[in-house]
């Protein structure tokens, strides 16, 4: 990247004069301005975002880094892209979507070229390569998700641990003692931050309540109907009566179909709670209780924090968690042994 001091040297003026000529903050002579502009053109200089902010100028564009992979669950991810775009428009901002799998390269490119005022990070991995880069950039970076290493970062997300605990508490209150969590494909527990957080919250709360808890995935790299049905069968055979589902809507449909084929009724024989879904759980063959993930809540907060970071009230680094809400739809019933 060409630096402003190189432009100043080429134009034969001071760095401050280059800044004034480009920003218009103070008057400079026409001849000086033309020399500065000629040096800018010759060297290919682009003022970075930090310099423009100091000059009171903004691009009114946010970058949204959302790497697409084979295991990306497109409906969920696009719900977040849409919610971010709507929240940004309310602030008169547009969104530049960065979709390359090597996400750090795109972040570096838009930050160095001054294309955007801030970066919003989606699909956060537990060990995310974008973390170290975010600490180096001069423009605000907001993570919608929580990586393992979050020191000095601003992160926004649903409190997934608490969401899983809510589901466990509801099942415990109905007398269930043996619970099963059916999660995303195994690859998601390496690539995304929220599946392991749901699993951790589920396991921890079950242990606190002295409940049996088992975990199964819906496949290896991608959702598999066969793997999902096998997971249901294994849990039923192990005596599970309370199911927590943290997986895509297609896997939900498969779970309910497998339970029905085994002659198990919801909520008469088994109970089911969906956690962390962005879809409507009342549209299934059986309406399911849920603790939903609401993209607008996370994205509105992320954009608000980005705007604050660009203003005079910059938010402190930290994790900003959104409290989960339990929605009752009648899919949890008392187990026979717990009936009065």
């Amino acid at each position: 990247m060409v630096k402003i001091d190189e432009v100043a040297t080429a134009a034969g003026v001071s760095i401050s004069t280059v800044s004034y000529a480009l920003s218009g903050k103070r008057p400079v002579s026409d001849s000086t301005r033309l020399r500065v502009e000629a040096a800018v053109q010759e060297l290919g200089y682009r003022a970075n975002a930090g310099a423009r902010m100091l000059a009171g100028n903004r691009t009114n564009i946010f970058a949204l880094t959302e790497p697409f992979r084979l295991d990306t669950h497109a409906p969920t991810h696009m719900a977040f892209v849409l919610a971010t775009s709507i929240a940004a428009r309310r602030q008169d901002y547009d969104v530049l979507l960065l979709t390359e799998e090597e996400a750090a390269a795109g972040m570096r490119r838009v930050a160095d070229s001054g294309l955007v005022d801030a970066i919003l990070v989606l699909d956060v991995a537990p060990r995310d390569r974008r973390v170290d880069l975010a600490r180096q950039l001069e423009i605000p970076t907001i993570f919608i998700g929580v990586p393992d290493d979050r020191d000095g970062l601003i992160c926004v997300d649903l409190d997934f641990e608490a969401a899983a605990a809510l589901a466990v508490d509801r099942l415990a209150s109905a007398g269930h003692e043996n619970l099963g969590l059916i999660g995303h494909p195994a690859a998601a527990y390496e690539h995304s931050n929220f599946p392991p957080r749901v699993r951790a919250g589920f396991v921890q709360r079950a242990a606190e309540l002295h409940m049996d808890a088992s975990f199964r995935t819906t496949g290896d790299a991608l959702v598999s109907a066969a793997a999902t049905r096998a997971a249901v069968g294994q849990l039923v055979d192990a005596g599970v009566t309370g199911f927590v589902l943290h997986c895509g809507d297609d896997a939900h449909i498969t779970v309910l179909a497998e339970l029905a084929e085994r002659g198990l009724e919801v909520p008469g024989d088994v109970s089911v709670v969906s956690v962390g879904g962005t879809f409507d759980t009342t549209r299934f063959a059986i309406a399911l209780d849920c603790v939903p993930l609401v993209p607008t809540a996370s994205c509105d907060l992320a954009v608000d924090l980005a705007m604050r970071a660009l203003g005079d009230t910059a938010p402190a680094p930290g994790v900003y968690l959104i409290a989960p809400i339990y929605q009752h739809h009648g899919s949890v019933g008392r187990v026979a042994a717990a009936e009065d």
Side-chain angles (χ1 to χ4, degrees), residues 28-192:
V28 298
S29 68
D30 289 342
S31 60
T32 297
R33 179 176 53 78
L34 289 173
R35 291 206 312 276
V36 170
E37 290 176 352
V40 166
Q41 184 69 25
E42 179 182 352
L43 297 175
Y45 172 74
R46 294 180 66 93
N48 66 29
R52 286 199 310 278
M53 284 187 283
L54 290 173
N57 299 320
R58 295 183 182 175
T59 66
N60 281 79
I61 299 173
F62 290 139
L64 181 64
T65 166
E66 164 69 301
F68 287 169
R69 298 186 300 267
L70 286 175
D71 64 319
T72 295
H73 187 251
T76 297
H77 288 264
M78 292 313 297
F80 275 85
V81 172
L82 178 60
T84 302
S85 301
I86 292 173
R89 268 316 322 147
R90 287 200 294 267
Q91 301 292 342
D92 293 324
Y93 266 76
D94 291 311
V95 171
L96 173 64
L97 185 60
L98 308 176
T99 61
E100 63 264 66
E101 190 165 352
E102 183 48 58
M107 287 176 62
R108 172 69 75 182
R109 183 177 67 252
V110 298
D112 286 349
S113 63
L115 289 174
V116 301
D117 294 331
I119 298 175
L120 306 174
V121 181
L122 279 178
D123 196 16
V124 178
R127 295 171 295 281
D128 202 299
R129 294 181 179 181
R130 294 169 291 181
V131 166
D132 288 337
L133 178 57
R135 296 189 179 113
Q136 301 170 21
L137 299 180
E138 296 181 359
I139 62 176
T141 303
I142 313 296
F143 282 72
I144 305 176
V146 185
D148 291 344
D149 177 10
R150 75 286 304 258
D151 289 346
L153 302 180
I154 299 174
C155 304
V156 173
D157 212 351
L158 173 69
D159 190 338
F160 280 101
E161 293 87 348
L166 271 182
V168 172
D169 286 344
R170 178 69 186 94
L171 292 166
S173 70
H176 295 274
E177 297 179 350
N178 194 340
L179 307 184
L181 169 64
I182 297 181
H184 288 277
Y189 294 82
E190 291 294 328
H191 295 156
S192 297

Side-chain angles (χ1 to χ4, degrees), residues 182 218 228-229 231-232 243 245 247 249-261 272:
I182 297 181
T218 51
T228 303
R229 288 181 176 275
V232 173
F243 286 82
L245 307 185
C247 45
D249 52 351
D250 50 349
H252 280 60
I253 293 170
T254 301
V255 169
L256 293 176
E258 180 65 17
L259 290 173
E261 287 186 18
V272 181

Side-chain angles (χ1 to χ4, degrees), residues 181-260:
L181 169 64
I182 297 181
H184 288 277
Y189 294 82
E190 291 294 328
H191 295 156
S192 297
N193 75 96
F194 56 92
R197 290 164 55 202
V198 169
R199 181 177 60 189
F202 170 80
V203 170
Q204 179 177 336
R205 187 57 179 156
E208 291 170 351
L209 297 177
H210 306 290
M211 306 171 75
D212 292 327
S214 303
F215 167 69
R216 298 290 187 277
T217 70
T218 51
D220 294 326
L222 299 173
V223 175
S224 162
T228 303
R229 288 181 176 275
V232 173
Q234 292 165 7
L235 294 176
V236 169
D237 292 343
V240 167
T241 60
F243 286 82
V244 176
L245 307 185
H246 182 230
C247 45
D249 52 351
D250 50 349
H252 280 60
I253 293 170
T254 301
V255 169
L256 293 176
E258 180 65 17
L259 290 173

Side-chain angles (χ1 to χ4, degrees), residues 302-314:
V303 168
D304 177 66
L305 291 169
M307 295 302 299
R308 287 170 55 189
L310 292 170
D312 298 326
T313 57

